[in-house]
Amino acid sequence: MGKNPSIDLLKGVLILLVMVGHAMELAHAQHLALWIGSGFRMPLMIGISGYLLNIERLRSETRDHFFGRYGERMLLPWLVAAIVYMLVSGWPLSWRTPIDLLLRPPFHLWYIPVLFFLILVARAVPLRPIWLVWIGVPFSLSIMYSFGPNLGPIGSTLLSPDGRYLRYSVYFFFGMLMAERGLPTRYLGVALLTAGLGMGWWSELEHDPNIFAFVPARLLMCLSLIALLPRFAALRLSFAPINHIGRDSLFFYLWHPLVMGLIMATGIGPASTLALSVPLLFGLGRLSAAHKGVRRWIGSVPPIRRRSEDAPLEPEPQPA
């Protein structure tokens, strides 16, 4: 699927919400808005990735081209970020570290390997999105009902994976389904109403451990929001600074905890940390844009070239 300004705008908003949530968490703040945001921001980012996936290209390209493309655009900057975060945090290193990093990524680093795993499944299983949804639903529900809102590995063995490898599959495949089929106008009101009801229900569960309510509330909220993606994309909305953050979402996602942590270490509050982190990341991303070698290592996007230029446009990463 080609670039869409509304989707870039939404990705930018979600990245900012992630940063707001992490700023509040660093300050040990508790607020209903933090709970609501934590309920939909990452499922919606996963759903957007499924929505943007070009399934025909994915399944037709050679294995070498596939791993080369995703290795350079996603996995290499993720690995660089992982090494930096482990060194900065004093993460204990051992022969288990590569296994832990892949199966149980620390900090916020789970997102890229989980996304890559879901892309691999979409490539390897030659089924239509509707069938992938039906396959993904039981896996997602089993993890959600078994572990509820608690994040972590499934089991306690060396090869126990992070639960999000299976928990988020339903959102990714449902995004693919929405890209294929869209949302008919007659269902728009239903999707909006269901999203509102799901969000309201979810907001009531902040201090309620009832797992039987947790799962349907989150599914109603997140799947309804994903269902609205085709209608939102048709609006063609744009606000240049946030659209740029959306296009540069991989860079912002990988590096914002480091930047925010360094700024907060000076002793300023979470609001000031966030206010400084966004323009600093924006500037660092723009500075690295002109240097292909640097971009490959840190995951930033190339500068946007005018279509009138002779040089072809370089593909941009699509992490979310």
Side-chain angles (χ1 to χ4, degrees), residues 15-303:
I15 288 295
L16 292 176
L17 288 178
V18 169
M19 294 181 66
V20 169
H22 286 170
M24 295 177 69
E25 290 169 4
L26 286 172
H28 304 288
Q30 298 293 328
H31 195 277
L32 178 61
L34 177 61
W35 169 254
I36 295 176
S38 67
F40 72 80
R41 63 191 185 215
M42 295 312 297
L44 187 52
M45 286 181 68
I46 290 285
I48 290 174
S49 295
Y51 180 76
L52 293 175
L53 190 68
N54 187 327
I55 191 64
E56 289 80 13
R57 175 187 178 184
L58 180 73
R59 291 174 176 172
S60 63
E61 63 185 344
T62 65
R63 182 177 59 183
D64 290 343
H65 188 266
F66 167 78
F67 282 103
R69 182 161 62 94
Y70 281 99
E72 179 175 339
R73 295 165 68 183
M74 285 178 57
L75 299 181
L76 177 60
W78 169 79
L79 181 60
V80 171
I83 293 173
V84 170
Y85 281 105
M86 287 190 295
L87 293 176
V88 169
S89 65
W91 188 266
L93 303 179
S94 69
W95 65 269
R96 295 181 45 155
T97 299
I99 299 175
D100 291 334
L101 189 59
L102 286 175
L103 296 182
R104 297 170 295 275
F107 319 120
H108 67 306
L109 298 170
W110 64 269
Y111 175 65
I112 299 303
V114 167
L115 178 58
F116 183 69
F117 168 75
L118 293 173
I119 294 172
L120 274 177
V121 173
R123 172 182 166 88
V125 182
L127 297 176
R128 299 285 295 274
I130 183 62
W131 292 110
L132 292 175
V133 170
W134 283 114
I135 293 173
V137 164
F139 287 106
S140 295
L141 289 179
S142 64
I143 300 303
M144 291 177 186
Y145 275 114
S146 298
F147 296 91
N150 300 319
L151 304 177
I154 307 171
S156 57
T157 67
L158 177 63
L159 299 180
S160 297
D162 188 298
R164 285 166 288 202
Y165 277 99
L166 299 177
R167 181 193 299 267
Y168 285 156
S169 61
V170 63
Y171 305 123
F172 183 80
F173 298 138
F174 192 69
M176 292 173 57
L177 180 63
M178 288 298 101
E180 180 184 67
R181 300 197 175 187
L183 180 68
T185 303
R186 64 182 179 274
Y187 294 128
L188 177 59
V190 175
L192 288 169
L193 178 61
T194 305
L197 291 174
M199 190 171 294
W201 191 2
W202 175 263
S203 67
E204 297 292 329
L205 301 176
E206 182 181 8
H207 304 292
D208 186 352
N210 186 352
I211 183 62
F212 294 102
F214 166 83
V215 173
R218 194 176 201 188
L219 285 175
L220 284 176
M221 174 176 60
C222 296
L223 293 181
S224 298
L225 292 174
I226 295 171
L228 291 169
L229 288 176
R231 310 298 299 188
F232 186 75
L235 298 177
R236 311 293 295 185
L237 300 176
S238 178
F239 181 64
I242 299 182
N243 279 65
H244 176 80
I245 294 174
R247 289 190 297 271
D248 215 4
S249 56
L250 176 62
F251 172 76
F252 271 77
Y253 184 83
L254 286 177
W255 299 106
H256 77 270
L258 178 63
V259 171
M260 293 175 67
L262 291 174
I263 294 176
M264 189 167 284
T266 64
I268 65 175
S272 299
T273 296
L274 184 65
L276 291 174
S277 297
V278 174
L280 181 58
L281 285 163
F282 196 100
L284 290 174
R286 295 297 293 267
L287 285 174
S288 66
H291 304 280
K292 185 176 180 179
V294 176
R295 294 199 313 265
R296 292 178 65 248
W297 289 93
I298 65 175
S300 57
V301 295

